[in-house]
Amino acid sequence: MDPNKAKARIEALSAELNHHNHLYYVESEPVISDLEFDTLLRELQDLEAQFPEFVSPLSPTKRVGGDITKKFATIVHRYPMLSLSNSYSEEEIVEWAERLKKGVSEPLEYVCELKYDGVAIGISYRNGQFVHAVTRGDGTRGEEVSNNVKTIRSVPLSLKGTTADDFEIRGEIFFPKKAFEAMNRQREEIGEPVFANPRNSASGTLKSQDSRVVAERGLDCILYGVYGDDLPFETHWDSVMTAKEWGFKTPSIEQRYIAKTDSVEGIMEFIHYWDKERYNLPFEIDGIVIKVNSYSQQQDLGFTAKSPRWAIAYKFKAERVETKLETVTYQVGRTGAITPVANLTPVLLGGTVVKRASLHNADQIEKLDLHLGDAVYVEKGGEIIPKIVGVNVEKRTPDAQKIHYIELCPECQSELHRREGEAQHYCLNDQVCPPQVKGRIEHFISRKAMNIDGIGAETINALYQKDLVRTVADLYDLTFDEVVNLERMADKSANNVLKGIADSKSVPFERVLFALGIRFVGETVAKKLAQAFKNIDAMITASYDELVAVEEIGEKIAIAVQQYFTDERALKTIQRLKAAGLQFEIEEATLDSNLLEGKTFVVSGVFTNFSRDEIKELIERNGGKNVGSISAKTSYVLAGENMGPAKLEKATSLGITILSEADFVKMIS
Ligand code: IVH
């Protein structure tokens, strides 16, 4: 492609992708499919690879991460990043409003907002373009985390029609509850300790050196304050509403995340509403923020040393109850990790009955100095799982027994180990310890791994009890008689089990690799490894250097992979699985034909016999290439019903052949 054309195409694609990003992540109203989006993104990535001189630091390709920041630069805040004064009672809010009245002459108007429980961020824009993003730091200077913030899809990289050419917008970066839970599920799957609280994890993630990690974790950002010297508004409310028009994700009026009121009663109504409703929000909040709306009144009221007088935070009381610690039990995970659990006298907390609380690890038990029968305080704060925050020592009886962390595995009695630098204890008896043996098989058959229908944890337990399975390879030796003789197993179910096992032999290599349960090898890593090494033998013999050369594979994963393949028992299992017919190499996609080789297609409109995605797949399976928009290079436009008139006109003016669905079917048959 000629460089001028490439440059123009890169710009057009970037604008189009930015637009769709906004519709998806800010408006939650996408108008194109994920596949269409990915096709455009891929075209941009390809062009950027060919013409690196035209890559903008604000390209939508930066959203997927990849930029590494070795050390974050420190940036002095143009406007200091202050904090809010906190209040914990309604009286304090009333007093605050009374004080305000004395400081201003005109009637007051307030804006009430949610107090997002995340990490504060200041993002600067110049001429409508993202410049940098800086954390709060000590309030005077913070760390520049631009590469990481750029991966948050709801943060715009270029703005829509703003008249303010130099300003900073501030807000909060946080983990949506769903993204936090998904991340923890994934961590559990690969044997990494789970994170305890969304706020700390958001903060840790934001400081990650590898922006790809940030991109994958799904942080979000809500912006709630504009700072600049010549801003085109006179009230805070207008600034938030205008920021929304510029393309920022701001608090929603419809969902009552923000409201305007001229009375203290209005403030109280907002507080009461969210005190109840906060548990139903898709993210964590720890209170309400009330701000004076008028900028000129804000100026009249001014600041104390640490915080503005024109704003105040009302903090929700963390719900805390006292109950009795009955026992501490220890769970053994698939990877041998030990998790202590506090069993409590059931108690009502935040609308649910709490019977158990996580104790995380030995240090936590030691720190709380827990004794059996203790009266403990339990809180449901930022954490999803309730936690013990303290002990009412006055209620402790003199003969109460201190809790000592176990030294032997509760399941197999082998000695526990704690690796240097890790908080968790592990049982290393992985070949015998029942929950580890069963857990590995459960992981193997799970939906995202081998997806073996008809078997669940109960069947695995029954097979284990009868000594029929000890490793995943044993599944493939099971006979009908063995299965049907299990308790509560009818002929039909036994057949289902065997069919599920047989069907799993066609599961692709990357999922087999994930199913093996190698430490730190989750779904994505398994995919990368499978693509890089193509088959298991190449992986078994791969050197450390070859492993770390693979995209996303770091030292920790490389060591775990090498360790796994030095274990004779693992190698034997793999041999048996291979002999059983499982896939241990990637299947290169085979083409149906080369009929469309060298041809590029733009697919548009609605089709009768195929979905748009199916048509695109057919193009690729016959050697053709899909592109997102029409250019002189396009070979064909494949037009369904309702194709836009602009596209039609462009195709006609460039003299591109327009195909109907029937023409296309003829072409490939
Ligand atoms: S306004 C002068 N609005 O709370 C400070 N802050 O203790 C202006 N926060 O550092 C901040 N939600 O990280 C404001 N709706 C909201 C907020 C909010 C959360 C955080 C912010 C700030 C801290 C103040």
Side-chain angles (χ1 to χ4, degrees):
M1 196 186 263
D2 124 48
N4 284 331
K5 279 203 180 131
K7 184 162 183 274
R9 181 73 189 134
I10 286 178
E11 284 167 7
L13 279 168
S14 301
E16 198 173 347
L17 284 161
N18 282 337
H19 173 64
H20 290 302
N21 245 324
H22 176 80
L23 291 179
Y24 190 101
Y25 290 99
V26 181
E27 309 276 352
S28 304
E29 274 179 7
V31 296
I32 60 171
S33 70
D34 290 0
L35 185 82
E36 283 170 304
F37 185 91
D38 289 343
T39 310
L40 292 174
L41 187 68
R42 210 168 321 132
E43 189 188 345
L44 180 59
Q45 280 169 329
D46 289 350
L47 274 177
E48 288 185 345
Q50 278 177 54
F51 298 95
E53 65 272 33
F54 301 138
V55 180
S56 154
L58 300 183
S59 165
T61 56
K62 300 282 173 198
R63 302 284 200 192
V64 283
D67 285 334
I68 303 284
T69 314
K70 281 266 178 284
K71 189 173 182 308
F72 296 110
T74 308
I75 290 194
V76 175
H77 293 298
R78 193 157 133 200
Y79 309 93
M81 241 178 173
L82 302 176
S83 58
L84 291 167
S85 56
N86 287 327
S87 65
Y88 295 88
S89 67
E90 294 182 10
E91 292 78 65
E92 283 176 84
I93 301 290
V94 175
E95 285 162 20
W96 171 73
E98 286 301 320
R99 275 201 304 280
L100 291 186
K101 273 190 203 149
K102 291 184 196 136
V104 296
S105 43
E106 299 292 312
L108 283 156
E109 197 173 37
Y110 310 96
V111 176
C112 304
E113 294 173 17
L114 304 181
K115 189 169 188 309
Y116 304 93
D117 197 11
V119 190
I121 194 79
I123 314 176
S124 297
Y125 288 82
R126 214 168 292 141
N127 300 319
Q129 306 282 318
F130 177 106
V131 180
H132 57 228
V134 185
T135 62
R136 187 182 131 96
D138 63 5
T140 307
R141 59 188 81 221
E143 286 177 308
E144 198 216 317
V145 288
S146 304
N147 286 336
N148 291 346
V149 172
K150 279 188 215 166
T151 69
I152 302 174
R153 308 292 212 279
S154 56
V155 172
L157 301 178
S158 27
L159 304 178
K160 300 194 279 186
T162 141
T163 47
D165 57 13
D166 185 10
F167 69 93
E168 180 179 339
I169 189 157
R170 288 187 182 166
E172 204 83 356
I173 290 179
F174 57 90
F175 248 120
K177 286 177 191 165
K178 272 205 179 120
F180 181 72
E181 284 160 18
M183 172 186 66
N184 266 348
R185 259 199 311 276
Q186 223 174 1
R187 290 179 71 82
E188 240 170 6
E189 247 171 35
I190 59 170
E192 296 234 45
V194 295
F195 291 129
N197 130 353
R199 177 164 44 82
N200 294 350
S201 322
S203 165
T205 301
L206 196 61
K207 301 276 183 67
S208 170
Q209 288 185 334
D210 183 353
S211 60
R212 206 181 321 240
V213 171
V214 190
E216 276 175 4
R217 288 196 178 162
L219 294 178
D220 203 350
C221 178
I222 286 195
L223 284 318
Y224 48 63
V226 185
Y227 295 73
D229 292 341
D230 284 308
L231 294 175
F233 13 73
E234 283 169 11
T235 63
H236 171 62
W237 181 268
D238 284 350
S239 78
V240 176
M241 298 307 134
T242 314
K244 178 177 160 64
E245 275 160 30
W246 290 344
F248 291 104
K249 183 164 182 167
T250 52
S252 139
I253 307 179
E254 296 77 34
Q255 290 173 292
R256 296 181 70 172
Y257 293 178
I258 186 168
K260 209 164 36 167
T261 175
D262 54 11
S263 68
V264 174
E265 291 74 38
I267 299 176
M268 294 308 162
E269 204 185 308
F270 193 82
I271 290 178
H272 295 157
Y273 178 78
W274 284 111
D275 198 10
K276 271 216 207 84
E277 283 299 314
R278 64 182 151 136
Y279 301 105
N280 298 323
L281 279 167
F283 45 77
E284 304 277 353
I285 60 172
D286 61 342
I288 297 297
V289 182
I290 306 125
K291 300 172 183 172
V292 168
N293 193 20
S294 146
Y295 278 171
S296 80
Q297 285 181 333
Q298 286 188 4
Q299 219 163 15
D300 291 345
L301 292 163
F303 298 83
T304 67
K306 274 196 281 173
S307 48
R309 288 199 188 86
W310 46 263
I312 193 164
Y314 172 85
K315 299 268 273 192
F316 291 129
K317 284 169 212 74
E319 270 204 85
R320 171 188 286 205
V321 286
E322 193 182 300
T323 187
K324 191 173 143 193
L325 173 67
E326 295 187 343
T327 55
V328 172
T329 47
Y330 299 83
Q331 288 172 347
V332 186
R334 160 172 80 82
T335 56
I338 309 289
T339 313
V341 177
N343 300 291
L344 310 164
T345 306
V347 59
L348 200 63
L349 177 65
T352 50
V353 177
V354 173
K355 291 182 209 147
R356 285 140 64 88
S358 166
L359 284 169
H360 301 300
N361 52 47
D363 293 346
Q364 180 83 4
I365 294 177
E366 196 53 41
K367 205 167 103 195
L368 290 165
D369 184 30
L370 281 185
H371 285 57
L372 272 188
D374 267 351
V376 290
Y377 301 120
V378 184
E379 252 184 32
K380 205 182 212 171
E383 290 76 15
I384 309 285
I385 313 156
K387 74 170 189 184
I388 296 182
V389 291
V391 177
N392 184 351
V393 195
E394 285 176 14
K395 289 199 183 164
R396 184 178 289 160
T397 53
D399 57 347
Q401 278 175 29
K402 185 175 162 69
I403 291 173
H404 294 286
Y405 202 83
I406 47 170
E407 286 174 7
L408 300 181
C409 173
E411 300 279 347
C412 71
Q413 279 66 52
S414 68
E415 200 179 322
L416 297 182
H417 289 260
R418 184 172 171 175
R419 297 187 188 96
E420 215 175 290
E422 287 191 18
Q424 215 84 10
H425 281 74
Y426 281 85
C427 164
L428 303 183
N429 188 17
D430 61 337
Q431 298 301 312
V432 176
C433 183
Q436 296 189 62
V437 173
K438 286 189 271 186
R440 266 198 304 275
I441 301 168
E442 275 167 27
H443 169 74
F444 184 82
I445 62 154
S446 64
R447 201 172 49 81
K448 287 181 173 169
M450 303 303 282
N451 191 22
I452 301 187
D453 268 347
I455 309 189
E458 221 175 296
T459 314
I460 289 173
N461 191 37
L463 290 165
Y464 177 86
Q465 297 303 340
K466 285 212 160 181
D467 216 0
L468 290 169
V469 287
R470 280 292 177 271
T471 80
V472 296
D474 295 335
L475 289 171
Y476 295 88
D477 293 339
L478 288 173
T479 64
F480 179 79
D481 284 348
E482 284 170 340
V483 179
V484 85
N485 281 327
L486 296 176
E487 229 171 273
R488 269 180 297 174
M489 184 69 75
D491 281 15
K492 195 169 163 222
S493 324
N495 277 322
N496 271 347
V497 168
L498 292 173
K499 181 172 182 306
I501 294 174
D503 287 351
S504 74
K505 293 179 185 174
S506 57
V507 164
F509 175 43
E510 62 203 40
R511 276 175 43 204
V512 177
L513 192 56
F514 169 61
L516 291 178
I518 305 170
R519 195 163 185 226
F520 305 133
V521 178
E523 264 181 291
T524 321
V525 170
K527 233 179 241 168
K528 297 275 174 205
L529 287 170
Q531 274 158 7
F533 293 99
K534 313 275 187 235
N535 62 58
I536 194 91
D537 297 320
M539 266 188 75
I540 294 176
T541 51
S543 67
Y544 173 83
D545 289 344
E546 283 169 333
L547 283 165
V548 289
V550 179
E551 198 189 348
E552 271 182 57
I553 311 298
E555 184 185 347
K556 196 172 72 174
I557 301 176
I559 293 174
V561 169
Q562 286 209 310
Q563 230 163 34
Y564 181 85
F565 289 124
T566 52
D567 186 338
E568 282 303 323
R569 291 163 304 195
L571 292 175
K572 194 166 157 231
T573 301
I574 290 170
Q575 281 313 327
R576 287 180 59 204
L577 292 175
K578 250 190 195 176
L582 271 69
Q583 304 299 313
F584 278 101
E585 56 185 44
I586 59 168
E587 208 176 306
E588 299 284 1
T590 49
L591 293 183
D592 291 353
S593 82
N594 286 327
L595 288 167
L596 308 180
E597 195 176 311
K599 303 278 188 269
T600 55
F601 286 76
V602 171
V603 180
S604 184
V606 183
F607 299 88
T608 321
N609 295 310
F610 306 97
S611 72
R612 211 163 18 189
D613 289 351
E614 283 167 346
I615 293 257
K616 287 184 173 175
E617 202 187 316
L618 278 174
I619 292 174
E620 283 175 12
R621 289 222 318 257
N622 287 283
K625 199 174 155 204
N626 289 297
V627 292
S629 53
I630 302 168
S631 73
K633 281 271 173 82
T634 310
S635 320
Y636 299 104
V637 170
L638 180 44
E641 302 263 323
N642 301 334
M643 172 171 156
K647 272 195 179 162
L648 200 62
E649 199 185 310
K650 189 165 181 196
T652 320
S653 74
L654 289 169
I656 295 163
T657 312
I658 297 171
L659 300 175
S660 69
E661 184 174 348
D663 297 334
F664 174 70
V665 172
K666 242 185 253 158
M667 216 173 176
I668 56 168
S669 49

